[in-house]
């Protein structure tokens, strides 16, 4: 493993991409500490980092609790992505048509998504600045309309800068830029959480041995969860595919066999993020009525600390898993492509029968993947409640899935780049494949 890491830095192209990614992460962390003019961030320092506030604060790398330039993070972009993907389901014909145009359509969709993300960022910034100032008096010094608009513009500019930074990392660095930024925010919060665990469990513990034993058990559970996440993320279902004829130049080689890989968790971590964004809606509405006791009770029910909010969270993850998989992995298109290539699933007729066969397998795989995602997202909350760990650690399941998923994808990309480089070297017979 150490030699593999050294090989990454020995290759000039890969080394430049890694360093560029680290530089992008550094810029993100600097921006997380840049204060917004006219804002007293000290008001939020003692805010309880549990529930949805804690999750958004974690995604922003602690920027929300400091109400810095990057306090909004990239959540507006995630919300915009949800809206656009919903609109592509035969709601807006133009977006539906773009979804069928391959790479060209994806570029058009991404452009519209980013524009919508900036608009949402400004709206959410206004709502957040107004709501936070109501909840935490003295946060914003200038409470005039101009003052709120100024804060909203700065927050929107921060989100726009993060999206641009994510694009640069995707193009010139390693991995998906937006995912890397989320990963960096989560990792940046880990030292703080470790300190909180130490202060609450070990520092003033009456029975030090018992306290250490409890932490060790929790650590072992986390390791097991990480192993399970890696296993499920890498697990695939191989559907056998038979090609009736294969051609090599002018020769017909006859039939050959291969397989169609379907991941157990094709949706990745996206359903978890979608569910979090959806659960934020009641809290956003409640901002306009901070003194309404009934509305505040509804918000409390929708939080992870309440069993109703936790149940809804699980239901949303499962629902979004099915939705996202059906959008991203189109059985109809897959069956049509197999038919056009002269291939088929043994024992299944091409066309509609193949589509139904693939759909049935996807439903079963998605059921397993969605239950797993929901379990990993909820179990750490249950364990930390039983172990009486700090409230900020309750969101560990969600963070864990994101960290492992993004790390796996990044490692795969680096491995692919090294393989391509070695392949070019083998073909050309020159170092670096030049």
């Amino acid at each position: 493993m150490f030699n593999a890491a050294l090989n990454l830095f020995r290759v000039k192209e890969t080394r430049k991409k890694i360093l560029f990614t680290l530089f992008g992460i550094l810029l993100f962390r600097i921006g997380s500490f840049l204060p917004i003019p006219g804002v007293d961030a000290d008001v939020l320092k003692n805010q309880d980092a549990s529930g949805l506030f804690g999750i958004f604060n974690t995604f922003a790398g602690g920027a929300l609790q400091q109400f810095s330039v990057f306090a909004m993070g990239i959540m507006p972009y995630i919300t915009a992505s949800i809206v656009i993907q919903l609109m592509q389901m035969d709601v807006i014909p133009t977006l539906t048509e773009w979804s069928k145009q391959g790479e060209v359509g994806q570029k058009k969709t991404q452009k519209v998504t980013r524009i919508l993300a900036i608009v949402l960022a400004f709206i959410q910034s206004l709502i957040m600045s107004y709501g936070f100032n109501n909840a935490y008096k003295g946060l914003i010094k200038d409470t005039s309309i101009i003052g709120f608009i100024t804060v909203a513009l700065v927050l929107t500019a921060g989100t726009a800068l993060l999206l641009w930074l994510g694009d640069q990392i995707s193009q010139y660095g390693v991995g998906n830029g937006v995912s890397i930024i989320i990963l960096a925010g989560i990792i940046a919060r880990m030292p703080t959480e470790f300190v909180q665990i130490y202060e609450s469990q070990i520092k003033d513990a009456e029975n030090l041995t018992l306290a250490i034993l409890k932490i060790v058990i929790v650590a072992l559970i986390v390791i097991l969860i990480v192993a399970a996440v890696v296993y499920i993320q890498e697990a695939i279902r191989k559907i056998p595919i038979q090609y009736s004829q294969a051609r090599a130049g002018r020769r017909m080689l006859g039939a050959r066999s291969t397989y169609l890989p379907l991941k157990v968790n094709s949706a990745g971590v996206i359903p978890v993020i979608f569910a979090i964004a959806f659960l934020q809606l009641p809290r956003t509405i409640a901002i306009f009525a901070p003194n309404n006791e009934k509305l505040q009770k509804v918000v409390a029910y929708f939080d992870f600390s309440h069993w109703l909010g936790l149940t809804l969270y699980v239901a949303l993850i499962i629902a979004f898993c099915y939705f996202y998989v059906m959008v991203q992995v189109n059985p109809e298109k897959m069956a049509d492509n197999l038919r056009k290539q002269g291939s088929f699933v043994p024992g299944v007729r091409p066309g509609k029968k193949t589509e139904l066969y693939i759909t049935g397998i996807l439903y079963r795989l998605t059921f397993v993947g969605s239950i797993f995602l929901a379990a990993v997202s909820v179990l750490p909350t249950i364990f930390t409640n039983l172990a009486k760990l700090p409230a900020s650690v309750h969101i560990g399941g969600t963070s864990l899935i994101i960290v492992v998923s993004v790390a796996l994808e990044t490692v795969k990309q680096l491995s692919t780049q090294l393989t391509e480089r070695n392949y070019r070297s083998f073909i050309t017979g020159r170092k670096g494949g030049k």
Side-chain angles (χ1 to χ4, degrees):
M1 186 175 180
F2 181 73
N3 289 333
L6 284 179
N7 287 335
L8 291 174
F9 282 91
R10 284 171 183 161
V11 180
K12 183 179 179 181
E13 181 182 355
T14 309
R15 182 172 65 248
K16 287 174 65 176
K17 288 186 175 183
I18 293 174
L19 292 176
F20 185 87
T21 303
L22 293 175
F23 178 70
I25 292 173
L26 178 63
L27 291 180
F28 165 60
R29 293 306 303 148
I30 291 173
S32 299
F33 291 95
L34 287 178
I36 297 175
V39 171
D40 184 8
D42 292 337
V43 175
L44 289 176
K45 284 188 176 179
N46 296 323
Q47 165 66 12
D48 181 22
S50 62
L52 291 173
F53 179 90
I55 287 182
F56 280 87
N57 187 51
T58 298
F59 286 174
L64 179 57
Q65 197 161 20
Q66 299 177 32
F67 217 78
S68 68
V69 174
F70 289 157
M72 285 295 296
I74 58 167
M75 294 310 294
Y77 174 76
I78 294 171
T79 306
S81 299
I82 297 172
V83 172
I84 293 298
Q85 289 189 21
L86 287 172
M87 295 300 103
Q88 285 180 333
M89 299 180 68
D90 295 326
V91 177
I92 298 180
T94 303
L95 293 176
T96 305
E97 184 64 28
W98 287 354
S99 67
K100 300 176 182 178
Q101 292 179 357
E103 187 176 348
V104 176
Q106 286 180 1
K107 288 182 179 179
K108 294 178 182 178
T109 304
Q110 279 294 327
K111 186 176 181 180
V112 173
T113 304
R114 276 165 168 70
I115 293 172
L116 179 60
I118 298 302
V119 174
L120 289 176
F122 180 71
I123 296 172
Q124 291 179 16
S125 298
L126 275 176
I127 294 172
M128 188 175 77
S129 57
Y130 176 79
F132 270 49
N133 189 65
N134 280 345
Y136 313 105
K137 298 297 183 182
L139 177 65
I140 297 176
K141 298 175 183 178
D142 183 5
T143 55
S144 65
I145 295 176
I146 298 298
F148 284 119
I149 290 177
T150 302
V151 172
L153 286 174
V154 174
L155 290 172
T156 304
T159 298
L161 182 58
L162 279 182
L163 290 178
W164 176 83
L165 187 60
D167 287 339
Q168 299 306 304
I169 292 175
S170 297
Q171 186 173 356
Y172 301 108
V174 178
N176 180 282
V178 173
S179 299
I180 292 294
I181 288 173
I182 295 176
L183 175 67
I186 292 172
I187 293 177
R189 293 291 300 167
M190 285 183 176
T192 303
E193 293 177 359
F194 290 147
V195 170
Q196 289 176 350
I197 291 173
Y198 169 77
E199 290 180 348
S200 64
Q201 301 296 316
I202 298 177
K203 187 177 181 181
D204 299 321
E206 295 179 2
N207 191 330
L208 185 60
T209 304
L210 186 61
I212 293 175
L213 181 61
K214 184 169 69 172
I215 298 300
V216 169
I217 292 173
V218 171
L220 289 175
I221 292 173
V222 170
I223 293 172
L224 290 175
I225 293 176
V226 170
V229 171
V230 173
Y231 178 77
I232 295 295
Q233 290 296 100
E234 295 296 293
I236 60 172
R237 166 75 155 83
K238 296 180 180 180
I239 300 177
I241 301 295
Q242 189 80 28
Y243 284 85
S244 55
Q245 290 182 338
R247 183 184 296 274
R250 295 183 178 180
R251 291 186 303 153
M252 300 302 295
L253 301 180
R256 67 184 181 89
S257 300
T258 182
Y259 64 88
L260 179 68
L262 293 178
K263 296 186 70 173
V264 173
N265 182 24
S266 300
V269 74
I270 298 298
V272 179
I273 299 176
F274 280 9
I276 292 169
F278 191 86
L279 282 176
Q280 181 66 6
L281 289 176
R283 177 167 289 192
T284 303
I285 296 171
I287 284 175
F288 294 98
N291 298 322
N292 190 317
E293 294 183 3
K294 291 183 179 179
L295 192 56
Q296 294 304 323
K297 284 183 179 180
V298 172
V299 173
Y301 289 149
F302 275 76
D303 203 87
F304 300 150
S305 58
H306 196 277
W307 67 268
L308 184 61
L310 207 59
T311 304
L312 182 60
Y313 182 44
V314 170
L316 285 172
I317 290 174
I318 295 172
F320 277 124
C321 267
Y322 278 96
F323 163 73
Y324 196 77
V325 167
M326 290 300 115
V327 170
Q328 296 297 314
V329 187
N330 191 331
E332 182 182 359
K333 189 175 181 180
M334 292 173 70
D336 188 51
N337 289 337
L338 290 174
R339 182 181 56 80
K340 290 177 180 179
Q341 294 169 4
S343 55
F344 59 92
V345 179
V348 182
R349 291 176 62 87
K352 191 65 178 178
K353 292 287 185 181
T354 301
E355 178 190 340
L356 293 174
Y357 177 77
I358 294 174
T359 302
I361 293 176
L362 272 177
Y363 278 144
R364 293 194 294 272
L365 291 177
T366 304
F367 176 77
V368 175
S370 62
I371 295 297
F372 171 78
L373 272 182
V376 173
S377 300
V378 171
L379 285 177
T381 301
I382 297 173
F383 287 145
T384 49
N385 278 332
L386 293 175
K388 297 181 180 179
L389 295 178
S392 61
V393 187
H394 289 192
I395 60 176
T398 306
S399 303
L400 199 60
I401 298 172
I402 296 174
V403 169
V404 174
S405 300
V406 175
L408 283 174
E409 290 301 318
T410 305
V411 169
K412 281 182 182 178
Q413 190 176 117
L414 288 171
S415 178
T416 301
Q417 291 177 4
L418 282 179
T419 303
E420 289 178 353
R421 185 252 183 188
N422 292 333
Y423 180 76
R424 291 198 305 267
S425 301
F426 174 76
I427 294 297
T428 60
R430 284 184 285 175
K431 186 177 180 180
K434 296 182 181 179

